[in-house]
Amino acid sequence: MTWQTPFAPVSDQIHWPVIVIGGGQAGLSASYWLQQHSIRHLVLEKHSVGHAWRNNRWDSFCLVTPNWQCRLPGFPYDGNDPNGFMPRDAIVDYIERYAAFVKPPLLQGVTVETLQRHDSGGYELVTTEGRFTANQVVMAVNGYHVPNWPRLSERLPTSIEQLHSSDYKSPETLPAGEILVIGTGQSGCQIAEDLHLAGRRVHLCVGRAPRAPRWYRGRDSVDWLEEMGTYEVTVDEHPEPAWDLRHKANHYMTGRDGGREIDLRRFALEGMQLYGRVADIRNGTHLIFGQDLKQNLDGADDTYCRIRESIDRYIEKNNIQAPSEPEYRPIWEPEREPRELDLEATSITTVIWATGFHSDFSWVHLPVFDGAGEPVHQRGITPTPGAYFLGLPWLHTWGSGRFASVGDDARHVVEFIANRTEATTEVSASEQEAMRA
């Protein structure tokens, strides 16, 4: 389903006051607010609405945050389970229904190959459907563009099936045999659990990702943190550096089966083999591990306990009646740090790289990046007049790239666009003619 018919008609004009690149939740939110300001615009989507949710998630995928945090502008969650966690197909339905609600002027299946300044002062976009120009552009394309494949993967034997977490679908789609999952961010932990629950023999390389409590003192921890104002803390107010916030792994837990914590120590008790991070591969089949398994497990627990303690302080400070919880104690410790793993001896037939993504802004030929190639902006507004970002991790707050707060950032950027439009003269007829030429 591509949802063509509910969208606003799109003319064949080449020049637009605003072009939004990306038709996901960020781009749709931008279109919503642009319509509220009666600003003519065009949205270009490389694939189709809901593509990433539909095609780059596994079958049992569900939200980690509760449904009530789905609050796209003008379209909050409208189901009967606000404290539940939408599965993949329901998320796709939510996005598609939002697109039908917004009715954006949208062109799907259009890739922007080059974005650059035009000699006449606006912007030029070279796309797979021809050339467009705009006074202002919004790059609503998040920061997860290309699956991160460590070069180490090239040294594994061809007999091993390798896939990235974005290509994983279900235990049944994998070859018979044992499975090695490398990486313990949200995807790696949930995929390892999915395989474990299906009865597959799983080996898991544990990284430094933190973990979070699911239910604590009678409520979902997300409910507590929302009430505490944690999600309103801006990137400038946060004690951690902005670069760290924008690149650190998300806390792992799950919304599966009504929501629960993920404790890798419990997996170990149930037979899952845990290792530290992969350091090397020798002789094609021997994986060598860093001696950091205990350190990484303890680090994840430290974050888990700090979140619990912050909730405890809030409850005490505000005299809130809430059930008590026992002090956290680890239920398993590694007796030794595994140093190596022979893939052949353990009958491992599949390796899943849950190693995240990296951004690719090579098509953006604008002076809006720092020395490391990271977008430079202040809540989405770049130093280049008329160029904006939306949907990036921690663009402004924790929820900037999520259903929770992407709409607030879109409103901020669109209000800036509207004020700039009012404060400057529209591109003159002669300039528009020059840009079309």
Side-chain angles (χ1 to χ4, degrees), residues 143-144 209-210 235 240-250 355-359 370 372-375 393-394:
Y144 309 112
V235 67
E240 293 188 52
W243 195 95
D244 291 345
L245 286 175
R246 288 166 174 162
H247 292 85
K248 71 189 301 183
N250 291 319
T355 43
F357 298 78
H358 62 265
S359 59
D370 63 16
E374 299 286 327
W394 276 95

PDB file of all heavy atoms in Angstrom, residues 143-144 209-210 235 240-250 355-359 370 372-375 393-394:
ATOM      1  N   GLY A 143      18.853  10.169  11.276  1.00  0.00           N
ATOM      2  CA  GLY A 143      20.297   9.998  11.165  1.00  0.00           C
ATOM      3  C   GLY A 143      20.715   8.565  10.954  1.00  0.00           C
ATOM      4  O   GLY A 143      21.897   8.232  11.075  1.00  0.00           O
ATOM      5  N   TYR A 144      19.737   7.676  10.654  1.00  0.00           N
ATOM      6  CA  TYR A 144      20.029   6.251  10.518  1.00  0.00           C
ATOM      7  C   TYR A 144      19.845   5.836   9.061  1.00  0.00           C
ATOM      8  O   TYR A 144      18.819   5.293   8.679  1.00  0.00           O
ATOM      9  CB  TYR A 144      19.094   5.446  11.428  1.00  0.00           C
ATOM     10  CG  TYR A 144      19.076   5.943  12.850  1.00  0.00           C
ATOM     11  CD1 TYR A 144      17.938   6.545  13.385  1.00  0.00           C
ATOM     12  CD2 TYR A 144      20.207   5.830  13.663  1.00  0.00           C
ATOM     13  CE1 TYR A 144      17.922   7.007  14.692  1.00  0.00           C
ATOM     14  CE2 TYR A 144      20.203   6.286  14.970  1.00  0.00           C
ATOM     15  CZ  TYR A 144      19.053   6.877  15.480  1.00  0.00           C
ATOM     16  OH  TYR A 144      19.041   7.333  16.775  1.00  0.00           O
ATOM     17  N   ALA A 209      26.023  -0.757  25.894  1.00  0.00           N
ATOM     18  CA  ALA A 209      24.713  -0.107  25.937  1.00  0.00           C
ATOM     19  C   ALA A 209      24.124  -0.185  27.344  1.00  0.00           C
ATOM     20  O   ALA A 209      24.264  -1.198  28.032  1.00  0.00           O
ATOM     21  CB  ALA A 209      23.762  -0.772  24.944  1.00  0.00           C
ATOM     22  N   PRO A 210      23.445   0.874  27.789  1.00  0.00           N
ATOM     23  CA  PRO A 210      22.827   0.867  29.119  1.00  0.00           C
ATOM     24  C   PRO A 210      21.470   0.178  29.086  1.00  0.00           C
ATOM     25  O   PRO A 210      20.891  -0.033  28.027  1.00  0.00           O
ATOM     26  CB  PRO A 210      22.663   2.359  29.424  1.00  0.00           C
ATOM     27  CG  PRO A 210      22.449   2.980  28.072  1.00  0.00           C
ATOM     28  CD  PRO A 210      23.287   2.166  27.106  1.00  0.00           C
ATOM     29  N   VAL A 235      19.152  19.371  24.938  1.00  0.00           N
ATOM     30  CA  VAL A 235      20.532  18.949  24.714  1.00  0.00           C
ATOM     31  C   VAL A 235      21.512  19.956  25.309  1.00  0.00           C
ATOM     32  O   VAL A 235      22.611  19.578  25.759  1.00  0.00           O
ATOM     33  CB  VAL A 235      20.782  18.748  23.202  1.00  0.00           C
ATOM     34  CG1 VAL A 235      20.708  20.060  22.442  1.00  0.00           C
ATOM     35  CG2 VAL A 235      22.110  18.050  22.945  1.00  0.00           C
ATOM     36  N   GLU A 240      25.539  15.693  30.003  1.00  0.00           N
ATOM     37  CA  GLU A 240      26.431  14.999  29.074  1.00  0.00           C
ATOM     38  C   GLU A 240      26.648  15.842  27.817  1.00  0.00           C
ATOM     39  O   GLU A 240      25.753  16.577  27.392  1.00  0.00           O
ATOM     40  CB  GLU A 240      25.846  13.646  28.673  1.00  0.00           C
ATOM     41  CG  GLU A 240      25.774  12.634  29.804  1.00  0.00           C
ATOM     42  CD  GLU A 240      25.374  11.260  29.304  1.00  0.00           C
ATOM     43  OE1 GLU A 240      26.015  10.764  28.343  1.00  0.00           O
ATOM     44  OE2 GLU A 240      24.419  10.690  29.853  1.00  0.00           O
ATOM     45  N   PRO A 241      27.815  15.733  27.194  1.00  0.00           N
ATOM     46  CA  PRO A 241      28.077  16.480  25.948  1.00  0.00           C
ATOM     47  C   PRO A 241      27.103  16.085  24.849  1.00  0.00           C
ATOM     48  O   PRO A 241      26.649  14.929  24.782  1.00  0.00           O
ATOM     49  CB  PRO A 241      29.513  16.079  25.585  1.00  0.00           C
ATOM     50  CG  PRO A 241      30.123  15.579  26.852  1.00  0.00           C
ATOM     51  CD  PRO A 241      28.996  14.958  27.630  1.00  0.00           C
ATOM     52  N   ALA A 242      26.784  17.020  23.985  1.00  0.00           N
ATOM     53  CA  ALA A 242      25.820  16.786  22.912  1.00  0.00           C
ATOM     54  C   ALA A 242      26.260  15.631  22.016  1.00  0.00           C
ATOM     55  O   ALA A 242      25.432  14.799  21.619  1.00  0.00           O
ATOM     56  CB  ALA A 242      25.631  18.054  22.085  1.00  0.00           C
ATOM     57  N   TRP A 243      27.540  15.551  21.687  1.00  0.00           N
ATOM     58  CA  TRP A 243      28.011  14.478  20.794  1.00  0.00           C
ATOM     59  C   TRP A 243      27.740  13.119  21.406  1.00  0.00           C
ATOM     60  O   TRP A 243      27.302  12.192  20.726  1.00  0.00           O
ATOM     61  CB  TRP A 243      29.500  14.637  20.506  1.00  0.00           C
ATOM     62  CG  TRP A 243      29.962  13.803  19.337  1.00  0.00           C
ATOM     63  CD1 TRP A 243      30.084  14.199  18.042  1.00  0.00           C
ATOM     64  CD2 TRP A 243      30.346  12.410  19.373  1.00  0.00           C
ATOM     65  NE1 TRP A 243      30.511  13.139  17.256  1.00  0.00           N
ATOM     66  CE2 TRP A 243      30.685  12.042  18.038  1.00  0.00           C
ATOM     67  CE3 TRP A 243      30.419  11.453  20.371  1.00  0.00           C
ATOM     68  CZ2 TRP A 243      31.111  10.761  17.703  1.00  0.00           C
ATOM     69  CZ3 TRP A 243      30.838  10.159  20.041  1.00  0.00           C
ATOM     70  CH2 TRP A 243      31.176   9.833  18.721  1.00  0.00           C
ATOM     71  N   ASP A 244      28.005  12.989  22.726  1.00  0.00           N
ATOM     72  CA  ASP A 244      27.776  11.713  23.398  1.00  0.00           C
ATOM     73  C   ASP A 244      26.296  11.346  23.376  1.00  0.00           C
ATOM     74  O   ASP A 244      25.936  10.186  23.125  1.00  0.00           O
ATOM     75  CB  ASP A 244      28.274  11.780  24.840  1.00  0.00           C
ATOM     76  CG  ASP A 244      29.790  11.876  24.923  1.00  0.00           C
ATOM     77  OD1 ASP A 244      30.460  11.615  23.907  1.00  0.00           O
ATOM     78  OD2 ASP A 244      30.306  12.213  26.004  1.00  0.00           O
ATOM     79  N   LEU A 245      25.443  12.320  23.661  1.00  0.00           N
ATOM     80  CA  LEU A 245      24.006  12.052  23.678  1.00  0.00           C
ATOM     81  C   LEU A 245      23.516  11.559  22.324  1.00  0.00           C
ATOM     82  O   LEU A 245      22.699  10.636  22.238  1.00  0.00           O
ATOM     83  CB  LEU A 245      23.236  13.313  24.061  1.00  0.00           C
ATOM     84  CG  LEU A 245      23.284  13.756  25.514  1.00  0.00           C
ATOM     85  CD1 LEU A 245      22.573  15.095  25.666  1.00  0.00           C
ATOM     86  CD2 LEU A 245      22.649  12.718  26.424  1.00  0.00           C
ATOM     87  N   ARG A 246      24.011  12.176  21.269  1.00  0.00           N
ATOM     88  CA  ARG A 246      23.511  11.874  19.931  1.00  0.00           C
ATOM     89  C   ARG A 246      24.071  10.584  19.367  1.00  0.00           C
ATOM     90  O   ARG A 246      23.583  10.102  18.341  1.00  0.00           O
ATOM     91  CB  ARG A 246      23.818  13.050  19.005  1.00  0.00           C
ATOM     92  CG  ARG A 246      22.951  14.270  19.305  1.00  0.00           C
ATOM     93  CD  ARG A 246      23.431  15.539  18.652  1.00  0.00           C
ATOM     94  NE  ARG A 246      22.468  16.627  18.884  1.00  0.00           N
ATOM     95  CZ  ARG A 246      22.754  17.915  18.742  1.00  0.00           C
ATOM     96  NH1 ARG A 246      23.968  18.289  18.373  1.00  0.00           N
ATOM     97  NH2 ARG A 246      21.824  18.832  18.969  1.00  0.00           N
ATOM     98  N   HIS A 247      25.088  10.018  20.012  1.00  0.00           N
ATOM     99  CA  HIS A 247      25.705   8.821  19.463  1.00  0.00           C
ATOM    100  C   HIS A 247      25.662   7.618  20.402  1.00  0.00           C
ATOM    101  O   HIS A 247      26.040   6.516  19.990  1.00  0.00           O
ATOM    102  CB  HIS A 247      27.163   9.103  19.088  1.00  0.00           C
ATOM    103  CG  HIS A 247      27.313  10.044  17.936  1.00  0.00           C
ATOM    104  ND1 HIS A 247      27.296  11.424  18.087  1.00  0.00           N
ATOM    105  CD2 HIS A 247      27.445   9.818  16.599  1.00  0.00           C
ATOM    106  CE1 HIS A 247      27.428  11.999  16.900  1.00  0.00           C
ATOM    107  NE2 HIS A 247      27.513  11.057  15.987  1.00  0.00           N
ATOM    108  N   LYS A 248      25.198   7.797  21.621  1.00  0.00           N
ATOM    109  CA  LYS A 248      25.185   6.668  22.534  1.00  0.00           C
ATOM    110  C   LYS A 248      24.026   5.729  22.214  1.00  0.00           C
ATOM    111  O   LYS A 248      22.997   6.141  21.669  1.00  0.00           O
ATOM    112  CB  LYS A 248      25.093   7.150  23.984  1.00  0.00           C
ATOM    113  CG  LYS A 248      23.754   7.736  24.372  1.00  0.00           C
ATOM    114  CD  LYS A 248      23.805   8.393  25.760  1.00  0.00           C
ATOM    115  CE  LYS A 248      24.219   7.409  26.825  1.00  0.00           C
ATOM    116  NZ  LYS A 248      24.192   8.025  28.170  1.00  0.00           N
ATOM    117  N   ALA A 249      24.203   4.463  22.552  1.00  0.00           N
ATOM    118  CA  ALA A 249      23.154   3.470  22.316  1.00  0.00           C
ATOM    119  C   ALA A 249      21.963   3.738  23.225  1.00  0.00           C
ATOM    120  O   ALA A 249      22.108   4.231  24.347  1.00  0.00           O
ATOM    121  CB  ALA A 249      23.704   2.071  22.576  1.00  0.00           C
ATOM    122  N   ASN A 250      20.773   3.418  22.737  1.00  0.00           N
ATOM    123  CA  ASN A 250      19.570   3.572  23.546  1.00  0.00           C
ATOM    124  C   ASN A 250      19.535   2.535  24.665  1.00  0.00           C
ATOM    125  O   ASN A 250      20.083   1.442  24.532  1.00  0.00           O
ATOM    126  CB  ASN A 250      18.325   3.409  22.672  1.00  0.00           C
ATOM    127  CG  ASN A 250      18.157   4.549  21.699  1.00  0.00           C
ATOM    128  OD1 ASN A 250      18.366   5.703  22.040  1.00  0.00           O
ATOM    129  ND2 ASN A 250      17.784   4.234  20.466  1.00  0.00           N
ATOM    130  N   THR A 355      24.766  -3.736  14.991  1.00  0.00           N
ATOM    131  CA  THR A 355      25.808  -2.736  15.194  1.00  0.00           C
ATOM    132  C   THR A 355      25.396  -1.340  14.735  1.00  0.00           C
ATOM    133  O   THR A 355      26.233  -0.480  14.479  1.00  0.00           O
ATOM    134  CB  THR A 355      27.086  -3.178  14.458  1.00  0.00           C
ATOM    135  OG1 THR A 355      26.736  -3.679  13.154  1.00  0.00           O
ATOM    136  CG2 THR A 355      27.785  -4.288  15.218  1.00  0.00           C
ATOM    137  N   GLY A 356      24.095  -1.121  14.628  1.00  0.00           N
ATOM    138  CA  GLY A 356      23.601   0.222  14.378  1.00  0.00           C
ATOM    139  C   GLY A 356      23.738   0.704  12.944  1.00  0.00           C
ATOM    140  O   GLY A 356      23.923  -0.096  12.008  1.00  0.00           O
ATOM    141  N   PHE A 357      23.671   2.012  12.816  1.00  0.00           N
ATOM    142  CA  PHE A 357      23.680   2.672  11.509  1.00  0.00           C
ATOM    143  C   PHE A 357      24.616   3.874  11.552  1.00  0.00           C
ATOM    144  O   PHE A 357      24.988   4.347  12.623  1.00  0.00           O
ATOM    145  CB  PHE A 357      22.274   3.171  11.146  1.00  0.00           C
ATOM    146  CG  PHE A 357      21.242   2.088  11.023  1.00  0.00           C
ATOM    147  CD1 PHE A 357      20.661   1.516  12.145  1.00  0.00           C
ATOM    148  CD2 PHE A 357      20.841   1.640   9.772  1.00  0.00           C
ATOM    149  CE1 PHE A 357      19.714   0.512  12.029  1.00  0.00           C
ATOM    150  CE2 PHE A 357      19.891   0.632   9.644  1.00  0.00           C
ATOM    151  CZ  PHE A 357      19.330   0.071  10.777  1.00  0.00           C
ATOM    152  N   HIS A 358      24.966   4.351  10.378  1.00  0.00           N
ATOM    153  CA  HIS A 358      25.645   5.648  10.308  1.00  0.00           C
ATOM    154  C   HIS A 358      24.931   6.518   9.276  1.00  0.00           C
ATOM    155  O   HIS A 358      24.214   6.024   8.400  1.00  0.00           O
ATOM    156  CB  HIS A 358      27.132   5.500   9.987  1.00  0.00           C
ATOM    157  CG  HIS A 358      27.427   4.867   8.657  1.00  0.00           C
ATOM    158  ND1 HIS A 358      27.680   3.520   8.504  1.00  0.00           N
ATOM    159  CD2 HIS A 358      27.515   5.398   7.410  1.00  0.00           C
ATOM    160  CE1 HIS A 358      27.912   3.249   7.234  1.00  0.00           C
ATOM    161  NE2 HIS A 358      27.814   4.364   6.540  1.00  0.00           N
ATOM    162  N   SER A 359      25.105   7.793   9.428  1.00  0.00           N
ATOM    163  CA  SER A 359      24.413   8.736   8.550  1.00  0.00           C
ATOM    164  C   SER A 359      25.160   8.891   7.227  1.00  0.00           C
ATOM    165  O   SER A 359      26.361   8.629   7.130  1.00  0.00           O
ATOM    166  CB  SER A 359      24.280  10.099   9.235  1.00  0.00           C
ATOM    167  OG  SER A 359      25.556  10.615   9.568  1.00  0.00           O
ATOM    168  N   ASP A 370      29.993  19.998  10.546  1.00  0.00           N
ATOM    169  CA  ASP A 370      31.230  20.300  11.249  1.00  0.00           C
ATOM    170  C   ASP A 370      32.367  19.455  10.690  1.00  0.00           C
ATOM    171  O   ASP A 370      32.206  18.757   9.681  1.00  0.00           O
ATOM    172  CB  ASP A 370      31.056  20.086  12.765  1.00  0.00           C
ATOM    173  CG  ASP A 370      30.737  18.622  13.131  1.00  0.00           C
ATOM    174  OD1 ASP A 370      30.941  17.726  12.279  1.00  0.00           O
ATOM    175  OD2 ASP A 370      30.303  18.386  14.270  1.00  0.00           O
ATOM    176  N   ALA A 372      33.605  16.756  11.638  1.00  0.00           N
ATOM    177  CA  ALA A 372      33.363  15.313  11.657  1.00  0.00           C
ATOM    178  C   ALA A 372      32.217  14.913  10.736  1.00  0.00           C
ATOM    179  O   ALA A 372      31.811  13.747  10.706  1.00  0.00           O
ATOM    180  CB  ALA A 372      33.061  14.856  13.082  1.00  0.00           C
ATOM    181  N   GLY A 373      31.689  15.880   9.983  1.00  0.00           N
ATOM    182  CA  GLY A 373      30.585  15.583   9.078  1.00  0.00           C
ATOM    183  C   GLY A 373      29.233  15.549   9.746  1.00  0.00           C
ATOM    184  O   GLY A 373      28.257  15.076   9.162  1.00  0.00           O
ATOM    185  N   GLU A 374      29.140  16.071  10.988  1.00  0.00           N
ATOM    186  CA  GLU A 374      27.872  16.094  11.710  1.00  0.00           C
ATOM    187  C   GLU A 374      27.099  17.372  11.391  1.00  0.00           C
ATOM    188  O   GLU A 374      27.695  18.452  11.245  1.00  0.00           O
ATOM    189  CB  GLU A 374      28.122  16.033  13.224  1.00  0.00           C
ATOM    190  CG  GLU A 374      28.831  14.775  13.679  1.00  0.00           C
ATOM    191  CD  GLU A 374      27.923  13.572  13.660  1.00  0.00           C
ATOM    192  OE1 GLU A 374      26.720  13.738  13.902  1.00  0.00           O
ATOM    193  OE2 GLU A 374      28.422  12.458  13.399  1.00  0.00           O
ATOM    194  N   PRO A 375      25.771  17.293  11.276  1.00  0.00           N
ATOM    195  CA  PRO A 375      24.977  18.508  11.035  1.00  0.00           C
ATOM    196  C   PRO A 375      25.170  19.528  12.142  1.00  0.00           C
ATOM    197  O   PRO A 375      25.181  19.199  13.335  1.00  0.00           O
ATOM    198  CB  PRO A 375      23.537  17.973  11.014  1.00  0.00           C
ATOM    199  CG  PRO A 375      23.661  16.527  10.641  1.00  0.00           C
ATOM    200  CD  PRO A 375      24.928  16.071  11.278  1.00  0.00           C
ATOM    201  N   PRO A 393      18.490  12.397  16.113  1.00  0.00           N
ATOM    202  CA  PRO A 393      18.548  12.055  17.538  1.00  0.00           C
ATOM    203  C   PRO A 393      19.017  13.261  18.366  1.00  0.00           C
ATOM    204  O   PRO A 393      19.978  13.930  17.999  1.00  0.00           O
ATOM    205  CB  PRO A 393      19.581  10.928  17.584  1.00  0.00           C
ATOM    206  CG  PRO A 393      19.623  10.380  16.198  1.00  0.00           C
ATOM    207  CD  PRO A 393      19.339  11.533  15.290  1.00  0.00           C
ATOM    208  N   TRP A 394      18.304  13.529  19.433  1.00  0.00           N
ATOM    209  CA  TRP A 394      18.632  14.646  20.320  1.00  0.00           C
ATOM    210  C   TRP A 394      18.801  15.959  19.546  1.00  0.00           C
ATOM    211  O   TRP A 394      19.662  16.773  19.855  1.00  0.00           O
ATOM    212  CB  TRP A 394      19.878  14.346  21.141  1.00  0.00           C
ATOM    213  CG  TRP A 394      19.589  13.558  22.382  1.00  0.00           C
ATOM    214  CD1 TRP A 394      19.672  12.212  22.534  1.00  0.00           C
ATOM    215  CD2 TRP A 394      19.160  14.075  23.660  1.00  0.00           C
ATOM    216  NE1 TRP A 394      19.318  11.848  23.817  1.00  0.00           N
ATOM    217  CE2 TRP A 394      19.005  12.977  24.527  1.00  0.00           C
ATOM    218  CE3 TRP A 394      18.911  15.360  24.141  1.00  0.00           C
ATOM    219  CZ2 TRP A 394      18.596  13.110  25.850  1.00  0.00           C
ATOM    220  CZ3 TRP A 394      18.506  15.497  25.464  1.00  0.00           C
ATOM    221  CH2 TRP A 394      18.352  14.386  26.313  1.00  0.00           C
TER     222      TRP A 394
END
